[in-house]
Amino acid sequence: MKEFISILLIGIALSMDTFSLSLGVGMFGVTNKKSLQLAIIVGLMHFVMPHLGMILGSKLIEIFEIKYDILLGFILIIIALQMIIDVIRHEEEKFNLSLLGCLFFAFGVSLDSFSLGLGLKAITSNIYLAMSVFALCSFLFTYAGVVVGKFANKLLGIYANIIGAIILFIIGLCHLI
């Protein structure tokens, strides 16, 4: 039971960034279908990425000296800039989150779970339970973030769009620093 609680708390912690970023995405009037699609893709990535981290992580870090935060920062800034461009073009009602966009978003918010995969065996012997909990938490947090973001958009209109883009941009900069 203690091990499960630890896994659950790690899953919640891994999902906090996706919640805050999903708030920004939800402010752009994403359709229910796209909201669900994004949540499913993020959930799947949070299942797959720790496994990949276990398998490939140590080799990649050794060979390329990858810095996950910098990559995530660039992805978030690109998403934020696209959101700002959409506001300037008066496309604030719909944020066109394509399948490729969903994959980039999911990849960006799942990088931390990839790095967690490096030490996952030290946390638990039940790897598949851990990955399932991570996936479920990130799915729920992503969907909840988009829904709350939609509600904020109805209350605040275009200002919510700008706030969402600024939040993504700031979080992206924080990952670069």
Side-chain angles (χ1 to χ4, degrees):
M1 184 65 170
K2 184 179 176 183
E3 183 177 339
F4 179 77
I5 291 172
S6 295
I7 291 170
L8 181 62
L9 290 175
I10 291 169
I12 290 170
L14 286 173
S15 301
M16 294 308 290
D17 61 340
T18 190
F19 177 78
S20 61
L21 297 174
S22 297
L23 284 171
V25 171
M27 289 181 184
F28 280 82
V30 177
T31 65
N32 289 335
K33 181 179 177 183
K34 284 291 182 183
S35 301
L36 188 58
Q37 179 184 22
L38 180 64
I40 289 170
I41 291 172
V42 169
L44 288 173
M45 282 291 224
H46 273 83
F47 183 86
V48 171
M49 292 297 272
H51 192 65
L52 290 176
M54 286 184 341
I55 295 170
L56 302 173
S58 59
K59 294 292 180 192
L60 289 175
I61 289 172
E62 184 180 305
I63 295 170
F64 296 110
E65 298 180 15
I66 294 173
K67 299 208 179 227
Y68 302 110
D69 281 344
I70 292 174
L71 180 60
L72 175 60
F74 281 120
I75 290 170
L76 298 179
I77 288 172
I78 290 168
I79 292 171
L81 292 175
Q82 181 185 346
M83 294 169 95
I84 291 170
I85 290 168
D86 288 346
V87 168
I88 292 170
R89 289 181 173 170
H90 303 290
E91 295 175 3
E92 66 272 359
E93 291 302 316
K94 296 289 179 190
F95 180 65
N96 185 11
L97 192 58
S98 65
L99 180 60
L100 185 61
C102 287
L103 289 171
F104 277 125
F105 180 89
F107 179 76
V109 298
S110 300
L111 284 174
D112 52 356
S113 63
F114 179 83
S115 59
L116 176 70
L118 295 172
L120 190 57
K121 287 185 179 180
I123 297 168
T124 182
S125 60
N126 197 339
I127 303 300
Y128 291 106
L129 172 66
M131 293 185 320
S132 298
V133 169
F134 300 161
L136 181 62
C137 286
S138 64
F139 168 82
L140 293 172
F141 275 64
T142 301
Y143 193 75
V146 173
V147 170
V148 171
K150 284 182 193 180
F151 180 73
N153 185 37
K154 288 179 183 175
L155 290 177
L156 303 173
I158 193 168
Y159 298 109
N161 296 345
I162 294 169
I163 291 167
I166 290 170
I167 289 169
L168 288 178
F169 191 80
I170 290 170
I171 293 171
L173 283 178
C174 288
H175 281 278
L176 291 177
I177 295 175

